[in-house]
Amino acid sequence: MKRKLVLLMLVLALLIPATSMAAKNEVVVKIDGTILNTEGISPYIKEGTTFVPLRAISEALDYEVSWDNVNKIVTMKKGSTTVKLPVGKNVAMVNGVERKISM
């Protein structure tokens, strides 16, 4: 169950459906039907890929998020689950186990 939750969170973070508002050409992120306040960091679309703020989404899903500036790794923790995402790599470490993710 935890593995499914972590994988679902990763899919949401990387491929979350963003709604494009035609009138304003604005991208918004919704979680359970509620627009997520991304704290001034707007999601956007570039060359067909939607970029979303990982911290805002993770924290909305009750994950604690930290940033290791030296090693360029994002760490998300919730309960006994820890997810580490090294910047620029297509892997995630989930409780110490390497998982390949799509980019």
Side-chain angles (χ1 to χ4, degrees):
M1 178 67 177
K2 287 182 183 178
R3 180 177 287 167
K4 288 181 182 179
L5 177 63
V6 170
L7 292 176
L8 175 62
M9 203 264 329
L10 287 172
V11 169
L12 284 173
L14 297 172
L15 304 173
I16 193 161
T19 304
S20 179
M21 312 219 12
K24 297 180 182 177
N25 198 23
E26 179 180 321
V27 177
V28 296
V29 176
K30 291 184 178 181
I31 295 180
D32 292 331
T34 302
I35 295 175
L36 179 65
N37 178 358
T38 56
E39 302 174 14
I41 302 172
S42 299
Y44 62 94
I45 299 172
K46 180 178 179 181
E47 297 176 10
T49 300
T50 303
F51 293 84
V52 296
L54 181 62
R55 177 179 293 273
I57 293 168
S58 299
E59 289 176 349
L61 296 171
D62 295 324
Y63 277 78
E64 178 185 323
V65 182
S66 62
W67 169 247
D68 176 348
N69 194 44
V70 173
N71 296 305
K72 307 294 187 217
I73 296 174
V74 175
T75 301
M76 298 170 290
K77 293 181 182 181
K78 182 177 181 179
S80 62
T81 303
T82 300
V83 179
K84 293 187 176 205
L85 297 169
V87 172
K89 297 186 179 179
N90 65 343
V91 296
M93 296 298 291
V94 180
N95 291 335
V97 178
E98 188 173 291
R99 306 274 183 200
K100 185 173 178 151
I101 57 176
S102 299
M103 294 184 114

